Amino acid sequence: MDVAARDDFGLRGPMTLLAAIALASLAPGPTPAMAESRAGAQQDILAPRPDRPTPGGTPAAVVYSGLEGQIDIAAPRAADPDIAIDGRLDDAAWSEAALLTGFSQFDPTEGIPATQETEVLLLISEDAIYFGVRAFDDNPGGIRATLGERDTFYRTDDYIQFVLDTFNDQRQAYSIVANPLGVQQDGLWIEGRVGRFGRNFGPPIDWNPDFVWDSEGQVEDWGYALEVRIPFKSIRFPESNDQEWGLQVFRKIQRTGFDDSWAPVTKDVANRLTLSGSLTGLRDLDRGLFLELNPVLTGTRQGTYDAGAKAFEREPVSGEFGLNAKYGLTSNLTLDGTYNPDFSQVEADAGQIAVNERFALFFEEKRPFFLEGTEIFTMPKNLVYTRSVINPVAGAKLSGKVGGFQLGYLGAVDEVGDSGDLVERPVVNLLRARRDLGSASTLGMVYTDRTTSGDEYNRMLGFDGRFVMARRYTLTVIGAGSRTATTSSDDETGSYLSLQFQRASPTLTFNLDLEDVAHGFDAASGLIPRVGDTRLQSRLEYNFRGEPGALVEQFRPGFDASFFWDHDSFWGREVFEEAEVRYGVTTSLRNNITVLLAATARRYDFGAADYDGLFVDDGRGGATPFVADQDPFGLLHGLGGFFWVNSWDKLRGRVRWGYSQDAVFDLRYGVPIEVGTGWDADIAAYAYPTRHLSAELGLRYQSLVRESDGTLALEAVIPRIKTQYQFNRALFLRTIVEYGAQMRRDLVDPATGRPLLGCSSGDCSLRSGSDANDFGIETLLSYEPTPGTVFFVGYSRQMEDTERLRFRDVRPTADGLFAKVSYRFRR
């Protein structure tokens, strides 16, 4: 590296004045000990190490070094390897395996040899693929490894991640992850997928699907060892006698935050799967008969508290039977069916603040039936949102890939309303198809139909394309139209348009996103929170990169801007209604510590017509139209920050905070009423006293104080405590305590202090607030040796506090005892 291009902090590229000021007081880069460690890591990792074991006691058959570009593997095959998955790597068959070495770092610095050695053994049998790992570590005491339930450790523990692109289409792949104790996490890598907040922080992986595979790990005095077996029955692959799969292996070292890969990785490409290695010579793979039956039996006893009698009135024990079935038509097409599916094993969604939220909240799909084929139904925008199917009575699904086409169909009969007073049973049909174009682009269509009766339905047809250009630029286009018919009004139609342009780079990244939703558009089987709006959003960020182990490893100033128009106003070239601009600086420090500071400015400029229906009580039995004072919405300022630390062994956590001006909204009409000033925060601390015991303490908070009179307009406080004791990988005892205090005062006219009214067809009612102080406790004892096979028993109690966070008069409202047993029969 050119020394002239560096400063004392090891930052590459130009140094801005802001960066210089922020870093002036920080110590210089790597210590001599760190420099010596990096120099040692650059030695040939195949050199003899007398203090470390060798794979299988003998040299591996063939060695493939990622650093040397040897990333095309001829699959070694053993008819009957007889490998015990115990994390010891002492089976003789490992001597026939291919050895993957030469890992390199890609975060925080790209392209340098990994600071710790990693060796991966690979072997193919008639019915499975095997991986063996030796992850060497010169500080074994710093290895992060907790014994927990699956899918919980990705951001806290060290791990090895295998990415299998079985169709070699560079668009989707299986993500198989194990921590040093063999605890499992798995999901689907889906290129083009966006996360809950509109973009992913990390790889685009949906962690909700669960697959059946075996793993075991051991922590040693030289690092840790892993053994993994993935049956062919658990994954999809083409119907072909001769196949080639994409393969990548990642390693995460949590105490430092370093990310390593076998095949070298750069952020200079839009699609990281295109950088994978290849596994060739896969011949005559036989998935065999693939049939799964999963009967489910649940029992509940619910109670309602009678305040007068000061006792619970409990219903008789009730039980239900459900059945899930899965059949592999071919190795790449799967048929699923369900009857009376049970979702009680899904942990309740953590409480979200909704005291000033104008739009519907997004919740991840976690229900097992809907997760099969999730990679097909996933779209950059939520035109398909399977949680819109609330309580299916029965359903069927066909999903898979044929040649260059991905196909998916889902049909279900939903049940909306209480079982004792049924409201409706709509029939839902979802159809999705997508075609591969070129090396990384796609073109697709989607059709959804939710029909309540012959005369009442919602239907939507859409087309989408994702085009990768020059490897680093991505253009995503979505166009859709909907028709909604009801017996009470005329048919309503509307259109949807989304354009996204992104640039990937290890230094300069940006995106531009336009989303236009007409007033009549309705995706009843999707989730489009803002209808009748047009949004233009852009983000620009530059990454100054330091040396790994330096005090400052990355320094990323960024700029965000979002503008919202009414749909008709946008096309009429009128001024925007809302705007938010944010400037932030993210600093990644040594030992996996991240700090973010950001300043925001907001502006609201709604027209008088937006307030139609809102009136002010004149105190004499009459009402006058509400006229918002637009001047306070001229420019609202805010300051916020984020702190994340993951380097400590027993305690880790994050803090997000903000202090800002914002509007107090009318939640029905979605318009700002007056200006408030307040705090918001999201705090989480994670404690690991032992490898078996973990605890999580969380707090979400939001408040706004009216600037007109200094009174509290709204406040939400949601503390949450979760403790879990893991007896072994399959058996745990968990307790969750959550308190949800969410309060909104009645809306008033800030000019006069008089109450606001909402009037329709001559009827007026107060725009009243709400006050809820809910308190819940849930305890669960669960045994789940493999996904789908589970036994658990649990108890929950719901209470309410008469005064917010006083705990002087906590009154029970309901409780429930529940149990479940299911078994996954697999052939």
Side-chain angles (χ1 to χ4, degrees):
M1 181 174 57
D2 184 4
V3 177
R6 296 180 51 194
D7 61 14
D8 290 340
F9 304 102
L11 294 173
R12 301 192 183 101
M15 172 61 74
T16 65
L17 177 62
L18 178 61
I21 295 173
L23 300 179
S25 62
L26 298 178
T31 64
M34 292 178 180
E36 181 181 352
S37 174
R38 289 201 302 276
Q42 296 179 24
Q43 65 182 344
D44 182 4
I45 68 171
L46 298 179
R49 296 290 299 268
D51 59 326
R52 295 183 177 182
T54 57
T58 59
V62 185
V63 177
Y64 298 90
S65 172
L67 273 173
E68 297 179 10
Q70 300 166 351
I71 60 174
D72 297 322
I73 305 169
R77 189 155 184 166
D80 185 12
D82 192 25
I83 294 176
I85 305 300
D86 55 13
R88 300 192 182 280
L89 290 170
D90 53 2
D91 304 285
W94 285 123
S95 63
E96 305 174 39
L99 176 61
L100 281 57
T101 65
F103 279 62
S104 58
Q105 187 179 117
F106 65 90
D107 196 41
T109 302
E110 291 183 1
I112 67 171
T115 58
Q116 305 292 340
E117 299 176 22
T118 307
E119 300 177 354
V120 177
L121 295 162
L122 183 150
L123 193 62
I124 303 292
S125 73
E126 293 181 349
D127 61 354
I129 180 170
Y130 291 81
F131 292 101
V133 179
R134 284 197 173 99
F136 298 105
D137 199 312
D138 53 22
N139 180 19
I143 293 173
R144 302 289 184 258
T146 52
L147 191 66
E149 61 180 311
R150 62 184 297 146
D151 294 342
T152 58
F153 63 81
Y154 192 74
R155 297 188 181 276
T156 58
D157 285 11
D158 289 13
Y159 61 76
I160 300 293
Q161 178 179 5
F162 307 98
V163 180
L164 287 173
D165 183 358
T166 56
F167 287 91
N168 201 29
D169 59 11
Q170 300 175 349
R171 293 163 177 82
Q172 60 192 28
Y174 293 94
S175 178
I176 305 296
V177 190
N179 81 350
L181 300 177
V183 179
Q184 299 179 355
Q185 180 150 340
D186 48 16
L188 287 168
W189 184 307
I190 307 170
E191 282 299 325
R193 180 181 186 269
V194 295
R196 174 175 171 180
F197 299 104
R199 62 179 183 270
N200 273 300
F201 298 92
I205 299 177
D206 184 351
W207 292 113
N208 292 304
D210 289 328
F211 310 107
V212 177
W213 48 287
D214 304 307
S215 62
E216 192 59 68
Q218 301 283 341
V219 177
E220 308 285 358
D221 57 4
W222 46 264
Y224 63 91
L226 282 171
E227 286 184 311
V228 171
R229 177 182 180 272
I230 306 170
F232 293 144
K233 283 184 181 293
S234 296
I235 57 180
R236 294 173 173 172
F237 48 85
E239 282 279 294
S240 174
N241 292 331
D242 195 351
Q243 300 184 37
E244 178 178 337
W245 294 359
L247 174 66
Q248 180 64 281
V249 185
F250 296 109
R251 178 182 177 182
K252 180 73 172 187
I253 305 172
Q254 287 288 359
R255 70 178 182 275
T256 60
F258 292 173
D259 288 287
D260 304 332
S261 66
W262 167 64
V265 166
T266 175
K267 295 181 181 178
D268 210 23
V269 298
N271 184 343
R272 198 180 295 178
L273 290 180
T274 60
L275 303 175
S276 300
S278 64
L279 185 58
T280 63
L282 296 167
R283 296 183 177 88
D284 303 320
L285 299 184
D286 184 13
R287 198 184 192 193
L289 173 65
F290 177 54
L291 175 64
E292 287 186 356
L293 296 176
N294 186 207
V296 180
L297 182 63
T298 60
T300 60
R301 190 182 188 191
Q302 298 180 344
T304 303
Y305 190 75
D306 186 339
K310 296 184 178 180
F312 277 96
E313 295 181 355
R314 292 189 168 89
E315 302 174 358
V317 175
S318 62
E320 288 193 357
F321 174 80
L323 178 66
N324 301 310
K326 184 183 299 185
Y327 178 66
L329 301 175
T330 65
S331 64
N332 58 339
L333 280 176
T334 303
L335 178 65
D336 291 82
T338 186
Y339 166 72
N340 194 24
D342 170 69
F343 304 132
S344 59
Q345 76 274 28
V346 177
E347 182 180 324
D349 297 298
Q352 294 196 38
I353 293 177
V355 289
N356 205 36
E357 178 58 59
R358 295 172 286 165
F359 311 106
L361 298 172
F362 177 85
F363 293 92
E364 294 278 1
E365 179 62 87
K366 299 179 181 180
R367 302 173 296 177
F369 169 71
F370 292 101
L371 293 174
E372 181 67 35
T374 184
E375 72 277 13
I376 299 172
F377 293 99
T378 296
M379 300 181 67
K381 303 292 183 179
N382 293 312
L383 295 183
V384 174
Y385 181 59
T386 52
R387 286 192 68 152
S388 63
V389 183
I390 300 171
N391 184 30
V393 177
K397 181 188 293 186
L398 176 66
S399 58
K401 186 164 188 176
V402 180
F405 285 92
Q406 279 188 302
L407 304 171
Y409 165 76
L410 186 151
V413 178
D414 202 1
E415 185 175 83
V416 181
D418 298 329
S419 58
D421 184 20
L422 186 63
V423 176
E424 57 183 24
R425 275 195 173 183
V427 176
V428 178
N429 289 282
L430 310 177
L431 179 63
R432 175 78 168 136
R434 189 166 57 214
R435 177 73 167 90
D436 296 345
L437 297 176
S439 61
S441 301
T442 58
L443 187 65
M445 64 81 64
V446 62
Y447 175 75
T448 68
D449 181 353
R450 185 180 180 91
T451 300
T452 304
S453 66
D455 298 326
E456 295 191 349
Y457 59 82
N458 171 264
R459 293 167 186 161
M460 184 206 67
L461 176 65
F463 296 90
D464 64 295
R466 184 173 186 267
F467 308 100
V468 179
M469 301 165 289
R471 301 189 68 189
R472 65 166 59 176
Y473 298 99
T474 304
L475 174 65
T476 304
V477 182
I478 303 176
S482 72
R483 176 181 290 273
T484 304
T486 63
T487 57
S488 59
S489 62
D490 296 334
D491 291 1
E492 191 171 35
T493 61
S495 62
Y496 177 92
L497 174 66
S498 173
L499 300 173
Q500 294 175 292
F501 183 74
Q502 295 175 295
R503 181 185 192 268
S505 170
T507 53
L508 178 65
T509 60
F510 71 84
N511 77 286
L512 185 66
D513 185 353
L514 172 68
E515 185 177 35
D516 178 60
V517 189
H519 287 278
F521 183 78
D522 183 9
S525 297
L527 180 64
I528 306 298
R530 299 185 65 148
V531 176
D533 280 357
T534 300
R535 176 179 66 93
L536 182 64
Q537 183 270 335
S538 182
R539 175 172 177 79
L540 179 69
E541 182 178 81
Y542 193 90
N543 184 13
F544 298 93
R545 294 176 293 128
E547 297 290 339
L551 179 60
V552 179
E553 294 179 332
Q554 293 189 38
F555 183 81
R556 304 190 300 275
F559 177 83
D560 287 90
S562 299
F563 301 89
F564 292 88
W565 288 262
D566 175 81
H567 166 77
D568 297 332
S569 299
F570 175 79
W571 294 106
R573 300 180 182 180
E574 298 178 17
V575 68
F576 55 79
E577 289 184 339
E578 302 178 43
E580 179 175 304
V581 176
R582 188 187 77 152
Y583 178 76
V585 177
T586 304
T587 306
S588 298
L589 304 175
R590 180 192 306 153
N591 295 330
N592 204 4
I593 298 175
T594 301
V595 180
L596 165 67
L597 290 175
T600 61
R602 299 185 183 93
R603 179 181 175 86
Y604 299 102
D605 189 11
F606 283 72
D610 297 309
Y611 293 87
D612 288 347
L614 275 176
F615 291 79
V616 180
D617 187 345
D618 63 8
R620 301 185 298 273
T624 59
F626 172 71
V627 179
D629 184 354
Q630 296 297 308
D631 183 60
F633 303 119
L635 195 62
L636 309 179
H637 300 280
L639 182 68
F642 178 84
F643 176 77
W644 163 261
V645 57
N646 200 28
S647 56
W648 303 331
D649 184 17
K650 303 297 184 183
L651 181 65
R652 304 156 210 173
R654 58 179 167 81
V655 176
R656 181 190 60 78
W657 62 272
Y659 181 77
S660 62
Q661 295 174 303
D662 203 353
V664 178
F665 286 96
D666 184 292
L667 302 187
R668 175 182 174 185
Y669 295 93
V671 291
I673 301 300
E674 61 177 310
V675 174
T677 303
W679 291 90
D680 65 273
D682 187 352
I683 303 171
Y686 308 91
Y688 304 89
T690 71
R691 282 186 174 169
H692 294 267
L693 179 63
S694 64
E696 174 186 341
L697 175 62
L699 174 65
R700 294 182 177 182
Y701 179 81
Q702 181 180 354
S703 69
L704 279 178
V705 174
R706 295 184 177 112
E707 291 192 348
S708 60
D709 59 9
T711 61
L712 187 65
L714 57 92
E715 185 178 51
V717 186
I718 306 180
R720 188 173 193 258
I721 301 173
K722 174 182 175 181
T723 60
Q724 184 160 315
Y725 189 85
Q726 199 81 28
F727 298 92
N728 53 49
R729 281 170 49 185
L731 180 65
F732 69 81
L733 176 65
R734 178 177 71 207
T735 299
I736 298 175
V737 180
E738 181 174 290
Y739 190 108
Q742 303 206 43
M743 178 275 296
R744 279 180 59 89
R745 301 294 190 204
D746 296 349
L747 291 178
V748 299
D749 178 12
T752 64
R754 302 297 304 171
L756 284 188
L757 305 174
C759 299
S760 176
S761 302
D763 295 326
C764 294
S765 60
L766 283 173
R767 302 302 298 131
S768 57
S770 60
D771 194 355
N773 304 305
D774 300 320
F775 185 32
I777 301 176
E778 175 188 300
T779 300
L780 181 71
L781 178 66
S782 175
Y783 176 70
E784 186 175 10
T786 188
T789 297
V790 63
F791 168 77
F792 68 66
V793 59
Y795 175 78
S796 66
R797 172 172 284 204
Q798 299 299 316
M799 295 164 281
E800 61 181 7
D801 197 356
T802 54
E803 295 183 75
R804 191 156 27 112
L805 295 171
R806 295 294 185 181
F807 297 99
R808 295 173 180 170
D809 187 11
V810 178
R811 301 173 181 177
T813 57
D815 73 346
L817 182 67
F818 49 94
K820 171 181 174 178
V821 58
S822 69
Y823 187 80
R824 188 172 189 167
F825 295 93
R826 200 168 195 241
R827 286 197 57 188

